[in-house]
Amino acid sequence: MLLTIDVGNTQTVVGVYDAGALHGSSAADGLVDHWRLSTDPVRTADELGVAIRSLMSGAGLDFDNDVSGVSICSGVPRLLAGLRQMVSRQLRFDPVVVGPGVKTGMPIHYDNPKEVGADRIANAVAAYDLYGGPTVVVDFGTGNNFDVISADGAFMGGAIAPGVEISLDALVGRASALSAVELVAPRSVIGKTTVESIQSGALYGFASMIDGMNNRFLAELGPAGVVATGGLAHVIAPIAETIDHVEPFLTLHGLRIVYERNQNR
């Protein structure tokens, strides 16, 4: 089994792939199980091992005997160090970590390629594998990442904007008369209560921002596909007009591909 770990600033997604499964038309093909955890940068290597071991055990998987490889991308350096230590100590081999020196098969057309987040690279690799190019990836996380892949499979760049939840947290934190709300669609765009007004602004406002950015990308690229991923993709995608595909496990699929491309090294 291949253990894939996507460490975000807010959440960490762990997935286990059948290492022998063929790639299909979806990032979920071959995915045996997955879990979404809150990211805690102070977890030690031992705590990380206990957590992952427990999750796998609950799914009938044996951490020690079933895991034959590990692929990681992380935007949290402290937690990445703990994961490296956990894998080397408990599994007795080194993980593949997306970053400088790791073969991705994708040229990076960025002024400084080292600045590109590992999750953005994994998403781009996965999107091109599944849909070809040109393609725009929209990742709904702590920030909304837009990544653009060319027709010939190069990472061209993109944009980064504040995410839905962090924007809502800032709004509630700065406005004493407002409280946190559930991110569900209100009865109409014109909110009839304060809660519905916040929901309308958050959901329809961000959907309009997503569509506006995508239309600007498409104006430069020409016809292209748009793929959404991330924790809130399923909330925004149904009300956005420019999203063609939703792939909740896009980053994990990218980690699987990068792992495979580094097996002969």
Side-chain angles (χ1 to χ4, degrees):
M1 297 286 180
L2 173 64
L3 179 64
T4 55
I5 306 173
D6 168 27
V7 182
N9 290 299
T10 305
Q11 294 184 338
T12 295
V13 182
V14 178
V16 177
Y17 279 99
D18 180 350
L22 297 176
H23 298 187
S25 58
S26 167
D29 289 341
L31 185 65
V32 178
D33 211 334
H34 70 280
W35 306 270
R36 187 176 292 270
L37 313 171
S38 58
T39 296
D40 183 356
V42 301
R43 276 180 175 164
T44 66
D46 292 334
E47 289 172 330
L48 291 165
V50 169
I52 295 175
R53 192 184 300 270
S54 176
L55 291 170
M56 292 186 61
S57 177
L61 301 172
D62 189 317
F63 177 82
D64 295 301
N65 296 313
D66 289 342
V67 177
S68 57
V70 179
S71 186
I72 303 171
C73 68
S74 175
V76 184
R78 185 174 179 181
L79 197 51
L80 175 58
L83 285 168
R84 283 183 185 271
Q85 185 181 12
M86 180 270 291
V87 174
S88 63
R89 283 182 55 190
Q90 300 188 26
L91 293 173
R92 306 300 181 185
F93 54 75
D94 293 326
V96 171
V97 178
V98 179
V102 172
K103 182 180 179 181
T104 65
M106 175 168 284
I108 308 296
H109 295 173
Y110 219 60
D111 288 350
N112 182 358
K114 293 181 180 179
E115 290 182 355
V116 183
D119 57 333
R120 299 178 69 187
I121 294 174
N123 284 340
V125 168
Y128 189 72
D129 176 74
L130 293 172
Y131 301 106
T135 302
V136 178
V137 176
V138 185
D139 188 351
F140 295 90
T142 304
N144 284 342
N145 290 344
F146 299 85
D147 301 315
V148 180
I149 303 99
S150 67
D152 58 355
F155 182 92
M156 299 176 64
I160 302 174
V164 180
E165 290 181 323
I166 197 171
S167 298
L168 275 178
D169 289 344
L171 175 64
V172 171
R174 293 293 187 109
S176 57
L178 302 180
S179 58
V181 301
E182 183 182 5
L183 276 176
V184 296
R187 290 174 293 178
S188 67
V189 178
I190 303 173
K192 300 298 184 181
T193 67
T194 300
V195 168
E196 288 185 342
S197 296
I198 295 174
Q199 290 170 333
S200 177
L203 296 181
Y204 296 116
F206 268 89
S208 296
M209 185 269 282
I210 298 299
D211 287 335
M213 288 297 296
N214 284 336
N215 284 328
R216 289 177 181 271
F217 290 132
L218 297 176
E220 293 189 19
L221 286 172
V226 179
V227 185
T229 192
L232 290 177
H234 69 286
V235 177
I236 303 295
I239 57 178
E241 298 176 352
T242 55
I243 293 174
D244 302 309
H245 311 281
V246 178
E247 289 283 356
F249 309 112
L250 190 71
T251 315
L252 299 185
H253 180 61
L255 288 173
R256 170 170 60 171
I257 296 171
V258 171
Y259 177 83
E260 293 170 350
R261 290 176 179 173
N262 284 269
Q263 287 317 287
N264 60 348
R265 305 188 73 185

